[in-house]
Amino acid sequence: SQELEQSPQSLIVQEGKNLTINCTSSKTLYGLYWYKQKYGEGLIFLMMLQKGGEEKSHEKITAKLDEKKQQSSLHITASQPSHAGIYLCGADTSGTYKYIFGTGTRLKVLA
Amino acid sequence: KAGVTQTPRYLIKTRGQQVTLSCSPISGHRSVSWYQQTPGQGLQFLFEYFSETQRNKGNFPGRFSGRQFSNSRSEMNVSTLELGDSALYLCASSLKGGAGEQYFGPGTRLTVT
């Protein structure tokens, strides 16, 4: 089983709708990162969360870290076609900076 | 500032051959990490180099090796290629490595036939 589970695996939403992607770890989180990837391309850094309860926002994307639940959520408000892509969470679960990544959530936004 | 560059972008090799991929990090970044991405296994950590030393290693066989030069450029080598090595290979650079954001290159898509 994956150490980092993302849900849902895929998501299709109408433009303007809000959506949430979850990332749950089976181990202690020493740092949680969110990235976006266009198909077949490199990853673009979105946000880094390190402390329990931490919440960060960038434009219409907000990410929160629940340290107790070992979970992070990524929320997109008023989605746009430009938000389409694959969202990946990455984390250090060993404290040794060996990063693991979730399986990704494929987001499609219908105009 | 120029981003992370990877060469070549696409590569087709035959089973049993070896391949070398190159990664040039963002100027000033001393840490370079390599990842393999496949549809089945997702994104998996290969290794990290910092100031020419391998600092971290993932769970890949010894056929996968790398090195980093004094200018922080890094190369990854895969020997005795197998069909299962077909993947998108991504490198990422960061200022210090460790906790912190990584900047990814566009990747090298390797196809092994």
Side-chain angles (χ1 to χ4, degrees), chain A residues 33 37 42 45 96-99, chain B residues 37 56-57 98-101 105:
Chain A
Y33 302 78
Q37 183 180 30
F45 173 80
T96 59
Y97 307 130
K98 283 188 188 180
Y99 295 100
Chain B
Q37 188 176 36
N56 258 316
K57 192 176 189 305
E101 59 198 77

Side-chain angles (χ1 to χ4, degrees), chain B residues 53-72:
Chain B
T53 301
Q54 187 181 86
R55 193 161 67 171
N56 258 316
K57 192 176 189 305
N59 299 323
F60 278 80
R63 299 186 297 107
F64 292 81
S65 63
R67 59 178 176 169
Q68 186 180 34
F69 301 96
S70 57
N71 61 358
S72 292

Side-chain angles (χ1 to χ4, degrees), chain A residues 31-50:
Chain A
L32 192 289
Y33 302 78
W34 283 100
Y35 289 88
K36 179 185 173 184
Q37 183 180 30
K38 292 282 189 182
Y39 179 73
E41 297 180 11
L43 280 63
I44 299 168
F45 173 80
L46 294 175
M47 269 166 279
M48 173 177 71
L49 304 166
Q50 290 193 291

Side-chain angles (χ1 to χ4, degrees), chain B residues 45-57:
Chain B
F45 172 76
L46 279 157
F47 30 65
E48 183 213 3
Y49 284 86
F50 183 84
S51 293
E52 302 178 65
T53 301
Q54 187 181 86
R55 193 161 67 171
N56 258 316
K57 192 176 189 305

